[in-house]
Amino acid sequence: VKPEDLGHGVDINKVSMEDLRYTVDIKGLKAILSCGAQTATKIGRLSKARIIINRRVFYYLPLVRKYLESIAI
């Protein structure tokens, strides 16, 4: 379920938190991409998805997804 689909006949009780997540930390990005920290950091940097708040770094998932779709063969 995509966040933009909410309110269009989607039962909110069946939507998981994973579907509503927009940002993740490096640990979450590693898990989503199934890769190591170095590769996840590189993908996050190349996709320009990094959000830095004080000492914390988050990655904006829509930009990561868009970047991965653009480099996919």
Side-chain angles (χ1 to χ4, degrees):
V1 176
K2 296 178 183 174
E4 58 266 16
D5 292 337
L6 294 177
H8 299 285
V10 175
D11 184 3
I12 191 68
N13 295 321
K14 294 182 181 177
V15 176
S16 71
M17 286 306 294
E18 297 294 320
D19 295 328
L20 299 175
R21 188 176 296 179
Y22 283 98
T23 63
V24 291
D25 58 5
I26 190 62
K27 226 170 149 180
L29 191 60
K30 283 172 31 179
I32 290 169
L33 297 175
S34 300
C35 63
Q38 201 169 20
T39 303
T41 302
K42 184 176 181 179
I43 291 171
R45 184 173 36 82
L46 291 173
S47 65
K48 296 183 170 93
R50 286 185 358 153
I51 301 170
I52 301 171
I53 301 174
N54 295 328
R55 295 178 62 183
R56 300 192 67 185
V57 178
F58 300 97
Y59 296 91
Y60 185 59
L61 291 178
L63 284 180
V64 172
R65 178 176 289 126
K66 185 177 176 181
Y67 172 73
L68 292 174
E69 288 172 353
S70 74
I71 65 168
I73 297 175

